[in-house]
Amino acid sequence: MAMKLFLLLLLFVLLSTIEQAQGLNPIDLSALRDIKNSLTDINPSSSNAFFTSWDFTASDPCSTFAGITCSTNSLFPRRVTSLTLGSGLSDSPGLAGTLSPSIANLSELTQLVLCAGIVTGPIPSQLGTLKNLSVVSLTNNRLTGSIPTSIFTLPNLHTLDLSHNQLTGTIPGSISGLTELKVLIIGSNKLNGEIPRLLPAELLHLDLSNNQFSGMLKKSMPLTLRYLSVSRNRLWGPLNVLESLSELVYLDLSMNRFSGPITSSLFRSTLSSMFLQRNYLTGGVPQLPLSPSTAAVYGSGSTVDLSHNSLTGKLTGILAGVETLFLNNNRFNGEVPKEYVESVYSGNTKTLYLQHNYISGFPVESGLLLPDSVALCLSYNCMVPPLPVEFMACPASAGEEVSRPANQCSAFNTSMA
């Protein structure tokens, strides 16, 4: 009888141990309570309300709480390894409130994601203690203050996305110590100062757009960059610092104060998206390479925007075949190369804006019909467009005048002689 009672007691202890092992670590459970107390659904009555599933009377939060992923180790109480706050659904209004410093108590966390909402306040500096973090994404909210310097000490950080908030301050030079960082997206904030001279050496994606950064781009930009956007800042200087960035496929320097010529190395088909509009760039576009094997052959999906600069000279054939091409509001002159005309009428180039230049000819054969899928604008140049205005798809900003006044064209040609 005593042996039977002993076995029953042993079984009870064993089952209790197993139940505890399958449950959530009490420190993590307490942290989740604090996180919920500092945040709220903007619309708690919505069918998509995020915190509906966060019932702390449930036996296993790891399997019932939305946005939680836990470790699979069954020998110890489970730990939260991934936390996504908000549903991320397009019809969900998201969360309000602030981020609790208790997030730092989730010491096994590898991913922290905050979906779009109206969360305010600072980013907790305590996040810098979470040495396993590889992804931090806190986008499209109303976070304020500076980026905690502690974040730039995380040894395993791969992706940092803090875009579309109201963050202020500068990027500390210590960012170069993030040796694992591949993706840095901090666009659409109120950050200022200069871009650090040294950035993580293996960075692939860098988005600093729509801030208040000033100064010049550095020659020490990571050679691994494939995506670079610094649009809508206060940056200036020449573009030759980009010559070594041979891996770029996307480049956006628009709406800054860059000046001087466009380095010829940027005209290549592998750089299929290039936005340089609204700067102070001068000079012309380069000639085609001497060797046909090295000529850029742009294709489907390619976009080049050089509009609203001070580019001059005759167009060369190097950009023929670009699917979406904006060359308007410059000082180009002469006749448009036939390669552009052929690409437009074949439908390979779907948008070609050439308005507000000093172009004297667009050599199209009489009777050729412009494809319906093509948007072509030739207005306000030193010629009468070879097709009626109603067949061109000019934006309203092109104005109603079809051609430039003759005196402007003669004065321009005299000044260029």
Side-chain angles (χ1 to χ4, degrees):
M1 185 59 138
M3 178 61 69
K4 186 175 181 181
L5 289 174
F6 173 75
L7 291 175
L8 287 174
L9 179 61
L10 182 63
L11 179 61
F12 174 78
V13 172
L14 180 61
L15 290 174
S16 298
T17 302
I18 293 175
E19 182 179 0
Q20 181 183 13
Q22 291 178 339
L24 186 63
N25 182 290
I27 295 176
D28 286 17
L29 188 62
S30 177
L32 294 179
R33 290 182 187 275
D34 291 344
I35 291 167
K36 183 181 179 182
N37 288 337
S38 68
L39 294 169
T40 183
D41 284 286
I42 296 174
N43 184 4
S45 61
S46 168
S47 59
N48 294 325
F50 174 73
F51 281 120
T52 301
S53 65
W54 283 42
D55 179 4
F56 286 91
T57 63
S59 59
D60 185 10
C62 291
S63 60
T64 58
F65 282 26
I68 300 291
T69 301
C70 296
S71 60
T72 57
N73 190 337
S74 60
L75 298 179
F76 302 99
R78 300 175 72 184
R79 303 300 306 274
V80 175
T81 58
S82 177
L83 175 61
T84 299
L85 297 169
S87 68
L89 298 174
S90 58
D91 58 346
S92 173
L95 304 177
T98 59
L99 291 175
S100 171
S102 294
I103 293 175
N105 293 333
L106 304 174
S107 58
E108 296 299 314
L109 203 63
T110 62
Q111 297 189 53
L112 174 62
V113 177
L114 174 64
C115 297
I118 55 173
V119 176
T120 59
I123 299 171
S125 61
Q126 292 85 347
L127 294 185
T129 65
L130 299 176
K131 301 305 181 183
N132 293 321
L133 273 179
S134 63
V135 175
V136 176
S137 177
L138 312 174
T139 69
N140 289 280
N141 278 275
R142 299 178 184 177
L143 299 174
T144 55
S146 60
I147 304 172
T149 55
S150 59
I151 286 183
F152 298 107
T153 66
L154 293 172
N156 297 301
L157 193 61
H158 175 283
T159 299
L160 178 61
D161 187 352
L162 307 176
S163 59
H164 296 277
N165 281 290
Q166 299 173 17
L167 300 172
T168 55
T170 61
I171 304 175
S174 58
I175 190 175
S176 61
L178 294 178
T179 57
E180 299 299 317
L181 193 67
K182 302 295 188 295
V183 178
L184 176 61
I185 307 174
I186 52 177
S188 298
N189 279 287
K190 299 177 181 179
L191 299 166
N192 57 35
E194 294 194 4
I195 299 171
R197 186 178 65 84
L198 292 178
L199 292 167
E202 297 186 4
L203 203 59
L204 300 175
H205 186 118
L206 177 60
D207 187 346
L208 308 178
S209 61
N210 198 19
N211 277 286
Q212 300 167 16
F213 292 114
S214 58
M216 301 173 63
L217 293 178
K218 308 297 190 293
K219 288 186 177 181
S220 55
M221 297 287 280
L223 301 180
T224 51
L225 277 176
R226 295 176 57 82
Y227 182 109
L228 173 60
S229 177
V230 294
S231 66
R232 295 176 181 267
N233 279 286
R234 301 168 183 173
L235 299 167
W236 56 276
L239 302 188
N240 57 4
V241 295
L242 302 176
E243 287 180 342
S244 59
L245 302 184
S246 59
E247 300 298 316
L248 279 178
V249 297
Y250 184 100
L251 175 65
D252 190 351
L253 309 182
S254 61
M255 301 185 189
N256 278 283
R257 301 168 185 174
F258 293 111
S259 59
I262 305 173
T263 180
S264 59
S265 63
L266 297 181
F267 293 94
R268 60 179 189 269
S269 57
T270 53
L271 182 51
S272 56
S273 296
M274 181 166 65
F275 302 91
L276 305 180
Q277 70 270 24
R278 297 185 184 276
N279 280 286
Y280 301 100
L281 301 172
T282 55
V285 293
Q287 297 289 333
L288 288 167
L290 295 176
S291 170
S293 63
T294 60
V297 181
Y298 293 92
S300 176
S302 56
T303 301
V304 174
D305 192 341
L306 308 181
S307 65
H308 294 274
N309 279 288
S310 297
L311 300 172
T312 57
K314 293 179 171 58
L315 290 174
T316 68
I318 198 167
L319 293 172
V322 173
E323 184 174 296
T324 303
L325 181 58
F326 301 103
L327 300 173
N328 53 287
N329 294 84
N330 279 288
R331 299 168 69 83
F332 292 119
N333 63 0
E335 189 172 86
V336 175
K338 60 181 176 55
E339 296 95 330
Y340 291 79
V341 182
E342 292 170 355
S343 186
V344 166
Y345 278 85
S346 67
N348 292 329
T349 294
K350 299 188 182 303
T351 301
L352 177 58
Y353 279 5
L354 287 167
Q355 70 271 17
H356 286 260
N357 279 287
Y358 293 82
I359 291 169
S360 57
F362 190 81
V364 60
E365 294 182 19
S366 177
L368 279 181
L369 296 177
L370 193 67
D372 292 338
S373 60
V374 170
L376 173 66
C377 187
L378 302 171
S379 64
Y380 211 66
N381 277 286
C382 296
M383 65 176 181
V384 176
L387 64 166
V389 174
E390 59 267 22
F391 287 100
M392 291 194 296
C394 291
S397 60
E400 297 180 358
E401 295 186 64
V402 175
S403 303
R404 278 187 181 276
N407 63 323
Q408 289 188 13
C409 294
S410 60
F412 176 79
N413 290 329
T414 300
S415 66
M416 295 297 291

